[in-house]
Amino acid sequence: MPKLQSHEVFGMSNKILINSYVDRGSLDIEVQKYLRRPTHLALRGESKCGKSWFRQKNIPNGLIVQCRYGKSVLDIYTDALSQLGIKLTIEQSSGTKLKGRIEAESSIGATLLAKIGIKASIENETTEDNKTKIIGQDIHDLRFIAELIIKSERKLIIEDFHYLSIAERTLFAFDLKTLWDYGCFVVIIGVWSQSNMLTYLNQDLSGRIIELSIYWSSNDLLSVIDKGSRALNIEISSEIKNQLINTCFGNIGILQQLILLLLDEACIIEEQDSTSIIDNIDLFESSAMKYAEQLNALYQQFARTVSSGIRKRKDSTGIYAHAMAVIVGASDEKLINGLNLEEIYRKAHVRQPRIQKINMRTILTKLEEIQVDSDGRGLVIAFNEANDDITAVDRQLLFYRKYLTVKWPWEDLIKEAEAVLDDPNQIKLF
């Protein structure tokens, strides 16, 4: 029988590594309880906090819709139904009133439509091109979509909800009330700093949605280390365990990757015949530096992307650069729990007195647009317009800046802006 490999126990993986999976704070048990009840669920937690494993473990057959920057609520419904073999074409929408067509794209979709009393079929025309004729029906409200999801017997899961704009989040919050009325219960997963954010957007959701925070206590993280260590027959010293826990910023993804790199440094790639002890702190330091170096390209690209976006805004170059300098220079605690607009403005204003608070809020609302890639992904820091807080959506940023001293591109932009301000022949930027 082949030995268990280290990467089958620790590290980042698109599949659950069961030998290091821990039900932190009995959250699995709690969420299973709520999944059986007539309620929506909202799960919030930062990037790489284990949301995907958690979802795979607890809702293995979910109807998963991944949000992207710029995606709309109607895009969510279109995506969900397409996975059920149904084409949704919306011509017009007003609140929960929809006008459009539902069409079967496959025999599975036609069968599902039949379950809600809509006659639809796939008619194949026997030609050399084997064309398909699709028969569908008009829809007039959200009830059709709710019934189709219910009849599919799959739970609708909205992942990365934070990529939706505030306006689209608000629209969906009101749709959630209607979906609840129809008995269609949804799981929403994402990153936001404000507790009960969806209820804040729509007070009618009170009592109709449960919000749970996916977080890791030090004891939970220690359980992950110990469980995986037993599987590989290794023993990690208390000193290194403490360093691992203190350095991962409460993020399970960072911890998993750090442990795998630590094992590589210790030349342990598989289950040991006899207990191997890892107690050399230099191995930890070396693995941490290697991890930071692996992240270098990612965060330098983040910096270049933001800087590129800044440069395209000739009327606000200076204020963007000063804002980024303040944000990236903030404490770990502030970037985890929320760095408020007031503090960002105050510190940026000291750096450059011409900066105005109203302009600062405007540029913070545009930071997400600048960061995301062509696929609408890639947020590192996010601005919550509901409470005016900036948070580090990706905790790896905190780890990266702890181990590598870098010069951020916006430092040069600040110098460029100052040069323009000192030139009487140039238009002032603030």
Side-chain angles (χ1 to χ4, degrees), residues 75-322:
D75 291 332
I76 290 175
Y77 300 139
T78 302
D79 189 337
L81 294 188
S82 71
Q83 296 179 51
L84 300 175
I86 297 170
K87 181 180 180 181
L88 172 63
T89 304
I90 299 294
E91 299 171 359
Q92 184 180 349
S93 67
S94 177
T96 59
K97 299 299 180 182
L98 305 175
K99 182 180 180 181
R101 286 183 65 79
I102 285 180
E103 302 172 339
E105 288 191 307
S106 68
S107 58
I108 296 175
T111 300
L112 190 57
L113 286 172
K115 288 184 177 181
I116 66 170
I118 295 179
K119 184 178 180 181
S121 63
I122 300 295
E123 296 182 359
N124 290 317
E125 297 179 0
T126 306
T127 67
E128 60 182 14
D129 295 328
N130 195 28
K131 295 180 180 178
T132 300
K133 181 180 179 182
I134 301 174
I135 298 176
Q137 180 164 329
D138 290 337
I139 63 169
H140 301 287
D141 58 45
L142 194 56
R143 178 174 58 85
F144 283 98
I145 296 173
E147 288 182 353
L148 285 167
I149 294 172
I150 292 170
K151 291 298 183 180
S152 75
E153 298 182 351
R154 296 172 67 184
K155 179 75 72 171
L156 178 60
I157 302 173
I158 313 300
E159 290 201 337
D160 294 332
F161 187 70
H162 54 280
Y163 278 105
L164 296 185
S165 67
I166 290 293
E168 292 298 325
R169 292 181 208 172
T170 303
L171 284 174
F172 194 67
F174 280 87
D175 276 6
L176 282 174
K177 166 60 168 61
T178 304
L179 290 171
W180 188 91
D181 289 339
Y182 292 140
C184 181
F185 308 113
V186 183
V187 177
I188 302 97
I189 304 174
V191 181
W192 55 86
S193 56
Q194 180 186 15
S195 296
N196 300 308
M197 181 261 290
L198 285 156
T199 304
Y200 171 82
L201 294 175
N202 180 11
Q203 294 183 2
D204 285 341
L205 287 176
S206 178
R208 296 178 171 90
I209 189 167
I210 301 293
E211 181 180 288
L212 300 174
S213 178
I214 300 178
Y215 72 94
W216 293 81
S217 69
S218 294
N219 287 336
D220 291 332
L221 296 170
L222 183 60
S223 295
V224 170
I225 299 172
D226 290 341
K227 183 177 181 180
S229 296
R230 288 193 297 271
L232 290 172
N233 197 18
I234 63 174
E235 184 177 325
I236 300 175
S237 71
S238 296
E239 181 183 13
I240 295 179
K241 285 181 183 178
N242 289 334
Q243 285 282 25
L244 286 166
I245 292 172
N246 293 334
T247 303
C248 74
F249 298 98
N251 185 279
I252 188 61
I254 296 175
L255 179 70
Q256 286 275 2
Q257 192 65 9
L258 270 176
I259 298 173
L260 183 60
L261 289 171
L262 172 66
L263 296 181
D264 286 345
E265 289 297 299
C267 298
I268 295 175
I269 62 171
E270 63 184 16
E271 182 182 354
Q272 302 294 286
D273 293 327
S274 59
T275 304
S276 292
I277 298 175
I278 304 175
D279 58 3
N280 185 347
I281 194 64
D282 291 338
L283 295 178
F284 167 78
E285 294 296 335
S286 179
S287 61
M289 283 300 299
K290 284 192 175 181
Y291 188 14
E293 288 168 359
Q294 290 176 4
L295 297 174
N296 190 54
L298 173 65
Y299 292 109
Q300 284 302 307
Q301 180 59 45
F302 154 72
R304 285 192 296 270
T305 300
V306 174
S307 297
S308 174
I310 292 171
R311 288 182 186 277
K312 292 175 184 176
R313 303 173 187 275
K314 62 182 180 180
D315 60 337
S316 57
T317 298
I319 191 171
Y320 266 93
H322 282 292

Side-chain angles (χ1 to χ4, degrees), residues 322 345-357 418 421 430:
H322 282 292
Y345 163 69
R346 187 173 66 252
K347 292 183 177 180
H349 186 71
V350 170
R351 298 168 61 94
Q352 176 46 259
R354 291 180 176 86
I355 292 177
Q356 298 177 10
K357 184 177 178 181
E418 295 301 324
L421 288 171
F430 297 92

